[in-house]
Amino acid sequence: MAAMGQEEDDIDHYEVLCLPSGEEGAALTIEQIEKAYRTQSRQRHPDKRPDDPNATADFQRLSSSYKLLRDESLRRQFDARLRGRREAAARAAASGVKRRKAVSDLEERERAAAAGQPANPEELAKREMKQKAADIERELEQFRTAKQAAAAGATASSAYGDKKGGASQDGVKTDKGKILKVSWDGSADSYTAAKLEELFQKFGKVEDIVIKTRKSRSKGSAIVVMGTKEAALLAIQNHFSLFPLNVAPVQESGGLPARPSQTHESRASNIDGTGFSDLEASVFRKLQEAQKRKQCG
């Protein structure tokens, strides 16, 4: 209900009759207005509200609003006045939105200026796109550089392998110049690793000894790994002092003399065939594992 102290121009007569206002109120028929008045007059009659001191004034306002809305001319004027109010309110709201946006833009420009950034959103977008393009270009350059380095490294590694003889599959190079093939006739005394080490230590340090499992009693064989190629060379040069052992290098190299000539019988007793290949591979694996442990340590 409208307050009794309101001025006439501030009263919405549709609301006094509890009817929708605005465009909906302007579209109401006289019959709808009369029906609303009858309903409200029964409910708001002073006799129904004896304890309400404002009941009489409220009922008078109800009657006054009903009379105005029943008058076609007065109602048109009132509808026009309501329309003007709504339009003014809409303009004020739009102005408020623009004002708030202007204030917000101003604050944004001030913050951008303080941070050294452009306040224009388009300029911000351009700068962001430029930064992204620079990041992508930098990543591409890093990728190209890494690819070229990998290709150069592969070429250098291949060239080194061709010139130096390469390395093992695990990347640990094995120097075969330190490894000796040792064989002996089965009729001779049995040679243990300890005994072979004692014999070869007079030529230099002995790193490892692997005795091949004997498949027959006709001959025995072993691999002796010397500490240096010089020690291995010295053992070969003085192989006669190790008789009845036959000593030969695993791999002929530029620093080693030619293998001494042997009789058919002595050649038959040398280490040969698949069994020796397995033994040699075992020694190489042990050397590689030892080298890896040194590198990791």
Side-chain angles (χ1 to χ4, degrees):
M1 298 180 188
M4 295 298 101
Q6 287 181 309
E7 296 293 335
E8 186 71 21
D9 289 344
D10 295 334
I11 295 175
D12 188 334
H13 298 290
Y14 291 107
E15 290 183 354
V16 173
L17 272 70
C18 296
L19 290 170
S21 185
E23 297 298 333
E24 292 185 48
L28 293 172
T29 63
I30 294 297
E31 289 76 11
Q32 291 174 317
I33 293 173
E34 289 178 349
K35 181 179 179 180
Y37 171 70
R38 287 194 297 269
T39 300
Q40 292 298 318
S41 63
R42 285 194 300 269
Q43 295 176 357
R44 294 157 63 180
H45 195 278
D47 293 343
K48 297 289 184 71
R49 298 184 295 169
D51 298 330
D52 187 354
N54 297 321
T56 300
D58 178 55
F59 188 78
Q60 290 174 352
R61 177 64 63 194
L62 177 66
S63 300
S64 176
S65 295
Y66 170 63
K67 289 178 182 179
L68 185 145
L69 294 177
R70 283 193 61 188
D71 189 304
E72 186 176 348
S73 176
L74 294 177
R75 184 182 177 187
R76 279 198 302 268
Q77 294 177 18
F78 176 68
D79 288 340
R81 190 161 61 247
L82 285 182
R83 190 178 303 109
R85 290 181 193 173
R86 292 195 300 272
E87 291 174 354
R91 286 193 298 270
S95 177
V97 170
K98 291 180 180 179
R99 186 164 50 252
R100 287 192 296 272
K101 186 177 186 305
V103 172
S104 177
D105 291 344
L106 178 60
E107 292 175 349
E108 180 64 26
R109 285 194 294 271
E110 290 176 350
R111 286 194 296 268
Q117 298 177 348
N120 190 337
E122 294 182 0
E123 186 64 26
L124 285 172
K126 289 180 181 179
R127 176 171 291 190
E128 185 177 355
M129 290 297 295
K130 186 176 181 180
Q131 182 62 42
K132 288 182 179 179
D135 292 342
I136 293 174
E137 180 62 28
R138 184 172 59 255
E139 291 178 2
L140 287 174
E141 182 61 27
Q142 291 175 352
F143 173 76
R144 286 193 291 265
T145 302
K147 187 175 181 181
Q148 291 173 358
T155 302
S157 176
S158 176
Y160 181 84
D162 292 341
K163 293 179 181 179
K164 300 297 182 180
S168 69
Q169 184 177 0
D170 296 329
V172 179
K173 191 173 181 181
T174 304
D175 189 354
K176 293 186 178 181
K178 302 190 303 181
I179 304 175
L180 301 174
K181 303 176 185 179
V182 180
S183 62
W184 59 89
D185 185 58
S187 61
D189 295 337
S190 176
Y191 288 94
T192 63
K195 188 172 183 179
L196 289 174
E197 182 178 10
E198 180 182 354
L199 291 172
F200 281 88
Q201 274 183 343
K202 60 186 177 182
F203 304 114
K205 180 182 177 182
V206 178
E207 287 188 353
D208 200 1
I209 296 176
V210 180
I211 297 179
K212 180 182 177 183
T213 302
R214 298 177 63 179
K215 296 182 180 180
S216 67
R217 296 184 179 181
S218 61
K219 61 180 179 179
S221 59
I223 288 291
V224 177
V225 183
M226 302 301 293
T228 62
K229 290 194 293 185
E230 290 74 12
L233 176 60
L234 187 61
I236 293 172
Q237 291 174 342
N238 295 276
H239 68 280
F240 53 85
S241 65
L242 298 171
F243 184 83
L245 296 177
N246 295 309
V247 182
V250 167
Q251 177 180 349
E252 299 290 346
S253 63
L256 296 178
R259 198 176 199 175
S261 59
Q262 299 175 347
T263 64
H264 175 74
E265 181 178 356
S266 64
R267 284 197 300 270
S269 64
N270 280 343
I271 303 173
D272 197 6
T274 305
F276 176 73
S277 298
D278 294 340
L279 181 62
E280 185 178 355
S282 173
V283 174
F284 291 159
R285 283 195 299 271
K286 293 181 68 175
L287 287 175
Q288 291 166 6
E289 291 171 359
Q291 184 67 22
K292 284 182 179 179
R293 286 195 294 271
K294 289 181 181 179
Q295 292 175 353
C296 294

